[in-house]
Amino acid sequence: MNETSDTLAVNETSDEEMGLVPEEVEASSASTWRGLESPGIFILTYPPRILEGPEDQTVLDGEIAVFRCRADGNPKPQVTWRRGSHRLTSGHPGRYVITALPDGGSILRVDPVRQNKDESDYECVAENGVADPVVADATLTVFTGQPQFIPC
């Protein structure tokens, strides 16, 4: 048996062996795993999953907010960002910068943050065509002036 990247070459298998999926796959998601067969090769595809979702942030008006999201799947999922129902792209409206990372991650940078424009929920969406897209979200809270601390 040879294993390279996301392709597994199998010389001889039984029907029972071809139905196996890795142990870390939850039983509920195992039904969405698929194999594509060709002579001597079985390519395992699996739905996207978010490994690291964005975290809620509280930022001073005029500062920078940075969200990170990392996903995997086979084929490698495309990671996009949404604010509300609108898909975000780099440079739109000029303060968003989206950077794709080689580890399957993506960074959304909002610079500068504006209270009346940017305070919202942001979603990281990972999709690869194997199953429905998966979403993780975070809230950006923007304040003006000095933060107020309430004693415990």
Side-chain angles (χ1 to χ4, degrees):
M1 190 162 46
N2 287 330
E3 188 174 341
T4 2
S5 183
D6 293 327
T7 303
L8 176 65
V10 181
N11 295 329
E12 292 182 31
T13 62
S14 68
D15 290 340
E16 187 176 71
E17 290 171 321
M18 293 300 279
L20 296 177
V21 295
E23 291 179 17
E24 68 268 12
V25 178
E26 295 178 18
S28 62
S29 67
S31 63
T32 60
W33 287 57
R34 290 186 273 169
L36 305 174
E37 294 183 58
S38 63
I41 296 179
F42 183 80
I43 301 171
L44 186 64
T45 62
Y46 55 95
R49 63 181 176 164
I50 297 197
L51 302 175
E52 177 185 345
E55 295 183 6
D56 293 344
Q57 294 188 42
T58 301
V59 178
L60 181 64
D61 185 68
E63 295 295 320
I64 300 168
V66 178
F67 295 99
R68 178 180 166 86
C69 184
R70 191 167 59 92
D72 78 346
N74 191 34
K76 183 178 175 180
Q78 177 182 8
V79 176
T80 57
W81 292 92
R82 290 191 306 220
R83 181 175 154 240
S85 61
H86 302 295
R87 183 175 173 176
L88 300 175
T89 58
S90 282
H92 178 75
R95 296 174 299 109
Y96 297 113
V97 176
I98 298 171
T99 305
L101 303 174
D103 67 353
S106 178
I107 294 176
L108 168 63
R109 178 182 167 111
V110 184
D111 182 12
V113 169
R114 297 290 178 234
Q115 185 176 34
N116 295 334
K117 294 183 178 187
D118 300 316
E119 190 165 77
S120 186
D121 290 331
Y122 290 80
E123 295 179 332
C124 164
V125 181
E127 56 188 319
N128 68 356
V130 174
D132 291 336
V134 291
V135 177
D137 66 343
T139 301
L140 175 59
T141 304
V142 183
F143 64 92
T144 58
Q146 296 298 317
Q148 296 182 8
F149 297 97
I150 301 172
C152 297

